C-alpha cells in the first residue's frame, strides 16, 4: 500500500484498506466535525467501524478541553464514544509528566482550566492559570516571586497569555533542571470562511525564544501522542490507520509511527500540498505525504455497509 502514495481511495480499495486495519485514529476538527457541527456522515462512519469490531480513538492537539468534555461533545454530535477513546494534549501532557517524566513537584502552567483539571486528575499541582497582568517596575520583573516547588513549565493554549507569564516561564526555565514541555506546535487555528487565529505554537515559540531552550512536545506529530494510545491498548502500528486533515501533524504522526495514513479534504491541507511534498525529495516533507486521500470521511461508508 505504500508503493504509490497519495492515491485517491475508492471502490474495492476502501474495503481492502479497512480490512487490513484493527484500529482507526481520527483527528477531530476538520475531520469528523467543524466547530460545533459534525461532518456529514462522520458519525455513521465511526459507529459502523465500531460495529465491525474496529477500535476507534480520537486524537486532538487542542488543549482547551478535558477527555470528558470531548466525549460529551462526541456523543452530542451522534458519535458512539467514551472518555477512554479520547486523547487530547491536555490529557497526554499530564500523562507525560506523571508517567514518563515522573515529575515530583508543581507545574507552572501556561494553559487552560482543562489542562489544570487533567493535571489534578493525576495528582500534579499547578500554578499560573488565569490572567497575570504586569505589575511593578521593569527592574522588578527579573526578580518576580517564584514558587520553589515548581519543577516544570508546561505551555498549551492560553487566552490569557501575557508578558508576565512569558517572563515567569523564563525565570523558572533558567534552572536547567526545570522540565520544559509543550502541548503542540500548531501556529494557526483555522476558522470558518478562511479565517484563522494564532495557535499554541506561537505561544510556545515565544517561551522557547525567551528561555533559549526547546520544549519537549507531546502532541502530533510527536510519537508520544501515538504511544500514549498504543501503550494503553496494545495497538499494532502496522494495523492502525491515522485519518487527518493536516499533513504536518496528523499525516506526519502516522509516518513517524509506521501507521497507514488517510488525508481528508474537509479541513486544512490539500492534495496540491501533498503533491508538493512528494516532489520535494526532502525526507521530512515526504513524511507528510499520505498513503491515501478522500474528499470526506463519509466516503468510507460504502465499505462499511451491508
Amino acid at each position: 500500500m505504500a508503493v504509490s502514495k497519495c492515491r485517491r481511495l475508492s471502490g474495492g480499495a476502501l474495503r481492502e484498506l479497512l480490512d487490513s486495519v484493527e484500529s482507526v485514529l481520527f483527528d477531530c476538527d476538520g475531520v469528523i466535525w467543524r466547530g460545533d457541527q459534525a461532518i456529514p456522515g462522520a458519525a455513521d462512519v465511526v459507529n459502523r467501524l465500531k460495529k465491525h469490531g474496529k477500535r476507534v480513538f480520537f486524537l486532538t492537539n487542542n488543549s482547551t478541553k478535558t477527555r470528558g468534555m470531548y466525549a460529551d461533545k462526541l456523543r452530542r454530535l451522534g458519535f458512539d464514544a467514551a472518555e477512554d477513546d479520547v486523547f487530547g494534549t491536555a490529557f497526554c501532557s499530564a500523562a507525560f509528566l506523571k508517567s514518563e517524566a515522573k515529575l515530583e513537584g508543581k507545574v507552572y502552567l501556561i494553559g487552560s482550566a482543562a489542562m489544570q483539571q487533567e493535571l489534578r486528575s493525576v495528582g500534579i499541582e499547578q500554578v499560573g492559570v488565569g490572567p497575570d497582568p504586569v505589575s511593578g517596575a521593569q527592574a522588578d520583573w527579573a526578580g518576580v516571586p517564584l514558587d520553589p516547588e515548581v519543577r516544570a513549565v508546561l505551555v498549551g493554549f492560553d487566552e490569557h497569555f501575557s508578558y508576565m507569564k512569558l517572563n515567569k516561564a523564563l525565570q523558572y526555565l533558567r534552572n536547567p533542571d526545570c522540565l520544559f514541555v509543550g502541548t503542540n506546535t500548531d501556529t494557526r487555528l483555522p476558522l470558518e470562511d478562511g479565517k484563522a487565529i494564532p495557535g499554541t505554537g506561537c505561544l510556545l515559540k515565544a517561551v522557547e525564544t525567551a528561555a533559549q531552550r526547546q520544549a519537549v512536545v507531546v502532541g502530533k506529530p510527536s510519537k508520544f501522542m501515538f504511544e500514549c494510545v498504543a501503550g494503553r491498548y496494545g495497538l499494532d502500528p502496522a494495523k492502525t490507520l491515522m485519518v487527518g486533515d493536516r499533513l504536518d501533524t496528523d499525516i506526519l504522526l502516522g509516518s513517524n509511527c509506521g501507521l497507514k495514513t488517510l488525508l481528508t479534504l474537509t479541513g486544512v491541507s490539500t492534495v496540491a500540498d501533498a503533491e508538493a511534498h512528494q516532489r520535494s525529495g526532502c525526507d521530512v516533507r515526504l513524511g507528510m505525504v499520505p498513503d491515501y486521500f478522500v474528499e470526506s470521511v463519509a466516503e468510507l461508508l460504502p465499505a462499511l455497509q451491508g
Side-chain angles (χ1 to χ4, degrees):
M1 291 184 182
V3 174
S4 85
K5 302 267 283 183
C6 202
R7 290 170 46 200
R8 175 65 185 263
L9 193 61
S10 61
L14 275 167
R15 189 176 297 277
E16 181 184 346
L17 174 63
L18 294 180
D19 286 346
S20 73
V21 300
E22 297 173 345
S23 306
V24 183
L25 312 179
F26 286 96
D27 175 51
C28 295
D29 199 21
V31 176
I32 60 171
W33 67 54
R34 287 198 198 96
D36 290 322
Q37 299 293 320
I39 298 288
D44 203 5
V45 167
V46 166
N47 298 345
R48 286 176 181 269
L49 281 168
K50 289 195 169 187
K51 287 179 181 178
H52 280 69
K54 308 297 182 184
R55 292 183 293 182
V56 176
F57 301 96
F58 306 93
L59 276 62
T60 173
N61 274 357
N62 190 321
S63 62
T64 64
K65 293 181 175 65
T66 64
R67 301 176 91 187
M69 293 164 69
Y70 274 116
D72 288 343
K73 178 175 181 176
L74 284 159
R75 289 190 290 265
R76 188 170 66 251
L77 295 178
F79 295 87
D80 175 12
E83 185 172 332
D84 287 345
D85 300 335
V86 181
F87 288 81
T89 49
F91 170 79
C92 290
S93 296
F96 176 84
L97 288 168
K98 184 69 173 182
S99 303
E100 298 296 313
K102 302 190 184 305
L103 180 71
E104 295 184 3
K106 295 180 183 178
V107 169
Y108 178 64
L109 176 60
I110 295 177
S112 63
M115 294 179 69
Q116 179 185 52
Q117 189 173 330
E118 294 287 16
L119 287 168
R120 283 175 175 167
S121 71
V122 297
I124 296 177
E125 293 186 60
Q126 60 73 44
V127 295
V129 169
D132 191 358
V134 170
S135 60
Q138 193 174 46
D140 302 323
W141 297 342
V144 67
L146 301 177
D147 188 322
E149 295 182 46
V150 166
R151 297 290 183 271
V153 171
L154 173 59
V155 180
F157 186 80
D158 189 342
E159 63 188 33
H160 299 295
F161 187 72
S162 64
Y163 181 85
M164 186 52 67
K165 289 193 174 191
L166 178 62
N167 175 59
K168 285 183 178 178
L170 163 60
Q171 304 310 324
Y172 281 118
L173 290 169
R174 290 181 63 199
N175 177 358
D177 294 327
C178 184
L179 295 171
F180 183 19
V181 180
T183 57
N184 63 292
T185 57
D186 302 44
T187 55
R188 298 178 67 177
L189 301 179
L191 305 176
E192 295 295 320
D193 302 321
K195 297 177 181 178
I197 59 174
T200 301
C202 298
L203 314 187
L204 182 59
K205 181 59 71 175
V207 178
E208 288 181 329
T209 301
Q212 298 182 0
R213 290 178 56 178
Q214 280 198 312
V216 175
V217 178
V218 301
K220 298 173 291 184
S222 167
K223 289 183 179 181
F224 182 77
M225 196 79 169
F226 173 69
E227 291 167 354
C228 203
V229 188
R232 285 166 172 75
Y233 294 100
L235 273 57
D236 180 351
K239 294 182 179 180
T240 301
L241 173 67
M242 178 70 219
V243 184
D245 71 309
R246 293 186 69 133
L247 300 175
D248 60 343
T249 56
D250 307 319
I251 303 306
L252 186 55
L253 170 74
S255 298
N256 286 343
C257 298
L259 318 180
K260 295 174 173 63
T261 55
L262 175 64
L263 174 70
T264 178
L265 303 179
T266 48
V268 174
S269 298
T270 67
V271 173
D273 295 332
E275 290 174 341
H277 289 315
Q278 194 163 27
R279 291 191 300 268
S280 72
C282 168
D283 287 343
V284 173
R285 293 184 65 184
L286 288 173
M288 300 182 202
V289 181
D291 295 318
Y292 305 99
F293 71 89
V294 290
E295 289 292 331
S296 164
V297 291
E299 293 186 18
L300 275 62
L301 273 176
L304 296 167
Q305 292 172 334

